[in-house]
Amino acid sequence: MTGMLIVGHRGAMAHAPENSLESYALAEEAGVDEIELDVRLSADEQLFLLHDATLDRTAGADSARGLGPAGELTMAQLQAAVLDSGRGVVSLAEMYDATSTGIQLEIKAPETVPHLARFFAEHRADAERTVLMSFQEDALREAARLMPQVRRGVIRKDLATAEGFPGGWQGLVEHTRAQRLAVGLEGLTAEAAAQIRDQGLELHVWPMRSLENMRDAVRLQADGTTSDDPALAMQWLREVTDEQASADRQEPAGRAPGA
């Protein structure tokens, strides 16, 4: 296969509750290169993993709904709430203890950054397998200042949105001091993808929801992609790689005799 990184979106959320230990375990069993997940800060300044600002969408019991912003709850309250995983939220430390693969840690709230810096200062091995990601460019810039040893990646819906930053996507990367740029496939041309890679950046693309998405990612020579079903994404990558190998083996048609 190509060297494209396959990243499990909130674990393997197509098959297990997102941001749960079960989901992370399934992603690792599938053989992902990284797991993408989302970090927030509790009212008592503990780091935990949750995509949304509230527990409502992922609640597994009525008692977990209507509690308001998750960041205004203590860690004890967050872990007492029953989510669709059958338990409360997973703490950052629990996740690192339970995983061994690369981690793509999306910063959802800027206030997490100094707390992440303290965590990684005490957990250097975890820092080495982590890439900090965010749509929030100032949070990433602060992360670069406080923990320059941890790699960073900036996310945008598409390249056109990235171009809207002062100085274009290059200005965005310079501002965040990112080593990775993650953008949507829509509107991304081969020329633009080559320019991104020529700057020494890792190019990650999304979404990855079909075989055709994978064909586009391979055509663009993307360095990585994120999928709700990483095992299926790996299957698609094998199929596209086999298609390319088959095409390469075919000899060009010869000219007709006497032509």
Side-chain angles (χ1 to χ4, degrees):
M1 293 196 295
T2 72
M4 188 185 303
L5 298 179
I6 300 296
V7 183
H9 191 209
R10 305 177 209 165
M13 61 181 286
H15 301 290
E18 66 183 62
N19 280 325
S20 67
L21 293 178
E22 179 187 3
S23 188
Y24 303 152
L26 282 176
E28 288 209 332
E29 288 171 16
V32 296
D33 298 288
E34 295 176 357
I35 297 171
E36 186 273 348
L37 34 78
D38 314 279
V39 64
R40 293 184 179 275
L41 190 71
S42 69
D44 53 345
E45 300 187 333
Q46 302 296 308
L47 294 161
F48 67 95
L49 305 171
L50 185 72
H51 178 271
D52 295 4
T54 74
L55 302 175
D56 293 355
R57 182 178 60 84
T58 52
D62 288 342
S63 59
R65 295 184 177 90
L67 297 177
E72 295 179 6
L73 302 175
T74 66
M75 193 63 163
Q77 289 173 306
L78 290 163
Q79 293 192 318
V82 179
L83 303 182
D84 50 8
S85 61
R87 56 154 288 170
V89 300
V90 176
S91 73
L92 187 73
E94 282 181 294
M95 179 277 294
Y96 277 113
D97 286 344
T99 61
S100 59
T101 191
I103 297 298
Q104 193 180 114
L105 191 62
E106 183 177 342
I107 299 170
K108 286 294 187 184
E111 60 267 23
T112 61
V113 172
H115 297 274
L116 285 169
R118 285 193 285 273
F119 178 88
F120 288 127
E122 298 173 0
H123 300 84
R124 296 184 184 277
D126 294 331
E128 290 175 1
R129 61 184 174 108
T130 298
V131 181
L132 294 172
M133 305 289 294
S134 190
F135 284 90
Q136 302 182 43
E137 61 272 4
D138 289 340
L140 282 176
R141 186 176 177 88
E142 180 69 356
R145 185 181 72 83
L146 294 179
M147 39 186 156
Q149 79 281 12
V150 184
R151 292 178 297 153
R152 294 165 302 283
V154 62
I155 315 169
R156 282 296 183 268
K157 176 185 175 182
D158 50 38
L159 190 61
T161 306
E163 288 286 9
F165 192 84
W169 65 261
Q170 296 96 331
L172 177 65
V173 168
E174 182 178 355
H175 180 81
T176 57
R177 302 174 191 173
Q179 294 87 22
R180 178 180 292 184
L181 177 61
V183 295
L185 281 165
E186 185 175 356
L188 183 61
T189 65
E191 180 182 7
Q195 290 174 346
I196 292 167
R197 292 194 310 277
D198 287 346
Q199 292 295 313
L201 295 167
E202 288 183 40
L203 172 63
H204 282 236
V205 296
W206 53 279
M208 182 49 58
R209 296 178 182 146
S210 67
L211 179 60
E212 195 57 39
N213 287 157
M214 183 59 78
R215 289 194 180 105
D216 288 340
V218 171
R219 175 180 55 82
L220 294 167
Q221 300 181 47
D223 296 296
T225 187
T226 303
S227 174
D228 295 350
D229 191 339
L232 184 57
M234 290 178 191
Q235 177 184 320
W236 289 333
L237 181 56
R238 285 190 291 269
E239 289 183 33
V240 174
T241 303
D242 289 345
E243 288 172 359
Q244 286 190 336
S246 178
D248 290 343
R249 285 194 297 268
Q250 291 180 356
E251 293 291 335
R255 299 177 67 187

